Amino acid sequence: MSERKILSKILRLDKNIYSDLINLDNALQKGILIYITVTSLNTLSQTRFFANLLDFIETNLILIKNEFSDEEFQIVQALVDDYSALYRQQEVTITILFSSVFTATLISLIGLSICYLILKFLLSKDPKPVDLILISCFSSAPGLLVFFALVSSNIVFQFLLIMIPGIYALIAFASGLKQVYLLRNIEVVLLLVTLIFSGAILGPM
């Protein structure tokens, strides 16, 4: 199965794609490559989005000046200026990309480990860790669409082009879990909530 066909089926939420991928040679290597690419694109696009957002706030801050006292406005302006200066000084280097991929991978593995325990001991399934990793990697494929956020200069479009592929990836992950482990909708929701909350708790750490 060609890479283009795989991506097409994932984006279309094909009902058999993940079952087919589990039995495909070199599927895990392809999945890991997709995951690393998506994580790198997310790092680049999110950094650019926040830098543009701070520039937008800095430019339009004067519009809300009447909502604050002079002292409060100076404090807010100083904070925005400091964050803007910090983002301008930062460049996304190979080291930052590697750190981002490593951190995201660690958080994902912890979340998948919790999903594994729920599948095995709560839902009485027989999951294989490598299959869970494969589903997670390939379901991140919608995140490749984040590339378009890098070529957009509108912060609203950038935000949407970051958020929508992220939500789409969660739906793709849910589809993969349901296919491979024959889960009910409520069981899929339980696993998704677990994955999201584990990421939210571990992310700031």
Side-chain angles (χ1 to χ4, degrees):
M1 192 184 303
S2 68
E3 286 79 2
R4 181 177 293 181
K5 192 171 183 180
I6 289 172
L7 292 175
S8 174
K9 285 193 171 188
I10 291 172
L11 293 175
R12 288 189 287 109
L13 301 178
D14 183 89
K15 293 183 179 180
N16 299 306
I17 180 60
Y18 293 97
S19 300
D20 294 340
L21 286 172
I22 286 174
N23 300 311
L24 187 68
D25 292 337
N26 300 322
L28 185 59
Q29 292 91 323
K30 292 179 180 179
I32 291 173
L33 179 60
I34 290 173
Y35 174 81
I36 292 173
T37 303
V38 169
T39 304
S40 300
L41 286 173
N42 275 325
T43 300
L44 292 169
S45 60
Q46 288 171 17
T47 301
R48 186 168 183 265
F49 168 73
F50 282 113
N52 290 343
L53 180 62
L54 285 169
D55 286 342
F56 176 82
I57 293 173
E58 193 175 24
T59 302
N60 294 278
L61 197 59
I62 193 67
L63 298 177
I64 59 170
K65 184 176 181 179
N66 293 334
E67 303 295 327
F68 301 94
S69 66
D70 289 342
E71 184 178 349
E72 290 173 338
F73 182 77
Q74 288 176 0
I75 294 173
V76 172
Q77 190 172 35
L79 284 173
V80 173
D81 289 343
D82 288 344
Y83 277 110
S84 296
L86 180 65
Y87 263 88
R88 289 192 188 99
Q89 291 172 3
Q90 285 185 338
E91 292 184 4
V92 180
T93 62
I94 296 297
T95 302
I96 291 176
L97 283 176
F98 178 81
S99 176
S100 176
V101 171
F102 177 79
T103 303
T105 301
L106 184 61
I107 292 172
S108 294
L109 287 175
I110 294 173
L112 290 176
S113 298
I114 298 172
C115 288
Y116 173 85
L117 294 174
I118 293 175
L119 281 167
K120 189 172 183 65
F121 296 107
L122 185 61
L123 303 181
S124 301
K125 302 295 180 179
D126 187 24
K128 295 180 181 178
V130 68
D131 291 347
L132 268 176
I133 293 172
L134 188 145
I135 293 169
S136 177
C137 287
F138 275 102
S139 66
S140 70
L144 294 171
L145 299 173
V146 169
F147 168 79
F148 295 104
L150 293 173
V151 297
S152 172
S153 59
N154 185 297
I155 59 171
V156 175
F157 287 149
Q158 286 177 1
F159 176 77
L160 293 175
L161 289 167
I162 291 170
M163 289 299 298
I164 292 175
I167 295 170
Y168 200 172
L170 278 176
I171 295 172
F173 182 68
S175 175
L177 291 174
K178 191 169 184 178
Q179 281 180 39
V180 175
Y181 301 111
L182 304 176
L183 301 176
R184 295 174 297 169
N185 289 337
I186 188 64
E187 293 170 337
V188 173
V189 170
L190 171 64
L191 290 170
L192 282 183
V193 169
T194 300
L195 194 67
I196 292 169
F197 271 90
S198 63
I201 292 170
L202 295 170
M205 296 177 65

